[in-house]
Amino acid sequence: MLSAADWDQRYQQKDTPWDLTGPTPELLRLVPSLPPSGRALVPGGGRGHDALALAQHGMETHLVDFAPTAIDEARALGKSIHLHCLDFFTLPEIPSHHAAYDLIWEYTFFCAIAPDLRARYVATIEKLLKPGGLFLGLFFPLVSEKSPPPFVVTESEVRALFPATLQIEKPQASVKPRAGREFLGFYRKPAR
């Protein structure tokens, strides 16, 4: 698994092939159907393009990444995003994050963590979502010719890790090189 220093070095060297240099098209397609308020979280949010799209939609948006260079670059987008240079897995230990989010948007973070951390990832998502909160994940890659990361993600693995109410769809706005190599997952945490 890559450390925070390893990821930071990749940002410093501009070795970030996952970065689309703008918001994820599938997120932009979904944004009009999302509530125009509430708190959103983007884990492993990097340079902040997706977080900015959610903030511009009207959500109080938080981005967490443990690479300081990524956080510095996200800061350059403006003050509309709350930035946290932290390990994602520590967020539930901070009272202001526990059960605090109406929406969590996932893209290219799940595939960057070691597969043995994925069950912990789902448990962390559960702790961060408010009752009735929505998790949206664009899971990538279904296949990869590169040595990890990214680690391959399968629908069957995601279905096994998330609660049974997770719904999976084919994305409608994948970027061309990723078309057919990703899937969209929706999960709403039960209301109390």
Side-chain angles (χ1 to χ4, degrees):
M1 181 170 129
L2 295 179
S3 68
D6 295 327
W7 286 109
D8 197 56
Q9 183 177 25
R10 291 192 69 174
Y11 277 99
Q12 289 173 13
Q13 296 174 346
K14 309 293 187 214
D15 180 18
T16 55
W18 61 88
D19 190 320
L20 300 177
T21 70
T24 305
E26 186 69 9
L27 176 61
L28 292 178
R29 182 188 75 80
L30 294 168
V31 160
S33 66
L34 299 176
S37 63
R39 288 181 89 194
L41 175 68
V42 181
R47 292 185 173 106
H49 307 298
D50 288 349
L52 182 61
L54 291 169
Q56 289 173 336
H57 179 62
M59 302 194 86
E60 176 190 318
T61 305
H62 295 253
L63 177 155
V64 61
D65 203 301
F66 66 3
T69 301
I71 293 293
D72 288 345
E73 292 183 25
R75 188 171 286 114
L77 295 177
K79 299 192 183 304
S80 61
I81 305 168
H82 301 270
L83 302 170
H84 308 281
C85 192
L86 298 168
D87 180 337
F88 166 75
F89 295 106
T90 67
L91 284 181
E93 300 164 19
I94 303 167
S96 62
H97 294 280
H98 187 81
Y101 294 99
D102 300 287
L103 172 71
I104 298 176
W105 167 251
E106 156 63 43
Y107 193 46
T108 69
F109 180 59
F110 187 83
C111 68
I113 61 174
D116 64 348
L117 291 174
R118 289 178 173 173
R120 187 175 172 204
Y121 170 95
V122 174
T124 302
I125 293 293
E126 278 289 313
K127 291 174 184 173
L128 296 171
L129 278 174
K130 289 180 178 178
L134 178 64
F135 170 84
L136 289 173
L138 185 56
F139 293 97
F140 168 85
L142 291 170
V143 295
S144 179
E145 298 78 36
K146 300 177 181 181
S147 61
F151 296 93
V152 171
V153 179
T154 66
E155 276 190 40
S156 60
E157 176 192 23
V158 169
R159 285 188 188 279
L161 288 171
F162 277 86
T165 55
L166 177 83
Q167 298 176 11
I168 291 180
E169 295 180 1
K170 183 178 176 181
Q172 297 176 29
S174 293
V175 293
K176 192 171 184 178
R178 297 180 186 174
R181 299 177 60 207
E182 56 192 8
F183 61 93
L184 188 61
F186 297 84
Y187 162 68
R188 187 170 297 278
K189 183 175 179 175
R192 290 189 181 137

